[in-house]
Amino acid sequence: MPLPPHPRLIAAAGIVLAWLLLCLWAWRQARMRAASQARALRALDAPPGPQTVLVAYASQTGFAAELAEHTAAALASGGLQARVAELGQLDTATLGHYARALFIASTYGEGDPPDAAAPFADTAMQSAAGLGALRYAVLALGDSSYAHFCGFGHRLDDWLRANGATPLFDLVEVDAGDAAALRHWQHHLGLVTGCTDLPDWQAPAYQAWRLARRTLLNPGSQGGPCYFIELTPPHGMAPQWQAGDIAEIGPRDAPGSPLHAHREYSIASLPADGAVHLLVRQMRAADGALGLGSGWLTHTAQAGQRIDLRVRANRNFHPPADARPLILVGNGTGLAGLRALIKARRGAGHGRNWLVFGERNAAHDWFCRDELEQWRGEGWLEHVDAVFSRDAPQRRYVQDLLRERAERVRDWISEGAAVYVCGSLHGMAEGVHQALADILGPAQLQALQHAGRYRRDVY
């Protein structure tokens, strides 16, 4: 009669079997990953359609990959097709297939790319590429406790610009997963898709402010009505913000109805004013329907009614602490952010400020003119140059005025001036960027940007 197996032999056989099963599982997982990556690469190389947007991510911990999936879902909600890929899977030839791309880039250590993105950084980003047909945006993830905050995202943005790609909007920095910065990215996704009511990934904690005053600034204008809006905080609340910060507004169809996704507006005042001031142009769709945000603030909400608001820090547009000269350039409602900067400069006793402002007609669209002329008379504005595009047979804009003042621009920059631009991205901000590049040279303009002396709040 055979002896029963020794218990140790049974245990050893079980261990070997478990190890073999684990190896089989790992082999199958590797095969599945390889097949998935091969399918993804084939999809990336397939000719993209007119509604296709590439979403490329560089992730160290998985957060950028997660945000890429959220971004792709937001694009799909707006009727676009998204192709998601790791940055390390791409090369310049693949990028050249796409008309639009969104990059979500983490920074590892002191300004380095994540490990999986190193092949792209070490190869593609070390050579020239013809990306003149690409429109792009970068969401840069980082931690401001490190010296090179969002360093890889900035390197990627610089490389794309240097190779001819055109920004859809300015780089968005995210400090340690800041939810407000991610909402700003979502705001821009809504503009890209044309679907500005995409749901927020994380609902903001609004406070109940009140509409205190609404004044039409441009009666008779050829453009849309523009209003000065004054919002007062809840009783007993002393909110704090800085010049350059943003008001996030939760619009409604009617008082008491559900909130829509937030809208963003540059704040035109300081806490010392006791209220948030906004300049809001009333927008209408092709069918005449009022825009959700502008319609709520300029028409639907009435004096004394609740306005859901929270302030988002916009540190890239905060004024410098020192007395360096400032060149302030904007058009239309972009005057809001510049007005707050001028107020902050007055409060700090810094008077070397030059305002360049553009609108349609001087007779109707010279917003806040009396106030600005008073500040000029008091010495807080060294120069005020305004240009009105419809007042002459040959249309002129702020970028044209800068070219006409090229010598003064170069003089101010040589004296340490910073340039702050606020207003519309397409048309104005793009034109101003090109004018500054023509006046100063692309290399000096990029150096100003890296030194924090060229800042934009554009939309």
Side-chain angles (χ1 to χ4, degrees), residues 7 45 81 99 124 147 206 245 274 307 330 333 342 349 354 369 395 423 429:
D45 288 332
Q81 181 185 31
Y206 291 122
D245 285 347
I307 302 293
T333 58
I342 297 166
W354 171 17
R369 180 175 186 174
R395 291 189 177 180

Side-chain angles (χ1 to χ4, degrees), residues 133-439:
L134 180 67
R135 297 178 69 83
Y136 77 95
V138 175
L139 180 68
L141 310 180
D143 185 331
S144 59
S145 65
Y146 287 86
H148 301 287
F149 174 54
C150 293
F152 180 62
H154 282 283
R155 277 178 55 199
L156 178 61
D157 184 58
D158 288 344
W159 178 78
L160 289 162
R161 286 178 187 263
N163 285 278
T166 303
L168 288 162
F169 49 88
D170 283 353
L171 177 144
V172 176
E173 293 179 341
V174 181
D175 186 4
D178 177 42
L182 294 177
R183 284 197 302 276
H184 186 49
W185 176 255
Q186 289 178 261
H187 164 78
H188 282 298
L189 292 179
L191 298 179
V192 168
T193 62
C195 182
T196 55
D197 207 25
L198 296 172
D200 288 333
W201 295 340
Q202 180 180 346
Y206 291 122
Q207 290 88 36
W209 290 56
R210 300 288 167 182
L211 176 58
R213 181 161 59 105
R214 179 168 61 211
T215 305
L216 178 63
L217 293 176
N218 61 341
S221 173
Q222 296 178 29
C226 183
Y227 289 84
F228 180 93
I229 306 289
E230 181 177 317
L231 306 172
T232 53
H235 180 70
M237 179 183 176
Q240 294 298 310
W241 68 88
Q242 293 189 50
D245 285 347
I246 302 295
E248 295 182 350
I249 302 292
R252 301 176 186 268
D253 292 321
S257 67
L259 287 166
H260 289 283
H262 79 278
R263 301 296 190 272
E264 299 187 349
Y265 299 94
S266 300
I267 299 176
S269 56
L270 300 178
D273 296 310
V276 159
H277 298 165
L278 309 176
L279 302 183
V280 180
R281 191 179 303 278
Q282 193 176 87
M283 307 298 292
R284 289 188 180 271
D287 62 0
L290 283 169
L292 281 172
S294 67
W296 172 238
L297 289 171
T298 68
H299 177 74
T300 307
Q302 299 302 308
Q305 290 181 341
R306 170 180 175 142
I307 302 293
D308 293 272
L309 181 150
R310 65 158 283 165
V311 172
R312 176 175 67 79
N314 184 22
R315 68 179 194 166
N316 187 59
F317 211 65
H318 289 168
D322 57 28
R324 73 184 63 180
L326 282 197
I327 304 172
L328 305 160
V329 185
N331 70 331
T333 58
L335 184 62
L338 305 182
R339 179 180 187 258
L341 291 172
I342 297 166
K343 281 175 166 281
R345 296 278 286 181
R346 290 177 69 234
H350 301 153
R352 290 220 63 197
N353 305 301
W354 171 17
L355 175 66
V356 181
F357 172 70
E359 247 292 344
R360 287 175 175 82
N361 302 108
H364 304 288
D365 304 304
W366 214 155
F367 307 149
C368 307
R369 180 175 186 174
D370 291 345
E371 180 179 57
L372 293 170
E373 290 186 343
Q374 177 185 336
W375 291 342
R376 177 166 56 180
E378 294 171 348
W380 301 115
L381 286 168
E382 191 166 318
H383 304 284
V384 176
D385 287 318
V387 59
F388 298 94
S389 59
R390 307 307 195 269
D391 282 353
Q394 184 71 30
R395 291 189 177 180
R396 293 169 61 246
Y397 301 95
V398 289
Q399 56 265 38
D400 301 311
L401 200 151
L402 285 172
R403 285 191 173 92
E404 293 164 10
R405 305 285 192 274
E407 185 175 354
R408 185 194 294 169
V409 171
R410 286 189 286 266
D411 288 345
W412 277 53
I413 294 299
S414 70
E415 295 167 10
V419 181
Y420 281 65
V421 181
C422 191
S424 55
L425 170 62
H426 301 299
M428 188 279 293
E430 292 174 338
V432 167
H433 184 87
Q434 187 57 56
L436 291 172
D438 293 343
I439 294 167

Side-chain angles (χ1 to χ4, degrees), residues 26-100:
W27 176 78
R28 291 189 63 184
Q29 289 295 111
R31 287 283 302 272
M32 291 170 63
R33 281 197 300 272
S36 176
Q37 289 173 354
R39 287 194 300 270
L41 286 172
R42 287 195 297 272
L44 288 173
D45 288 332
Q51 299 300 311
T52 304
V53 181
L54 175 65
V55 180
Y57 64 89
S59 189
Q60 188 70 28
T61 64
F63 185 45
E66 179 184 342
L67 293 177
E69 294 297 336
H70 285 313
T71 296
L75 295 173
S77 296
L80 301 179
Q81 181 185 31
R83 291 182 182 174
V84 181
E86 282 191 310
L87 190 61
Q89 295 177 289
L90 304 177
D91 55 28
T92 55
T94 303
L95 276 183
H97 294 161
Y98 290 86
R100 288 181 290 183

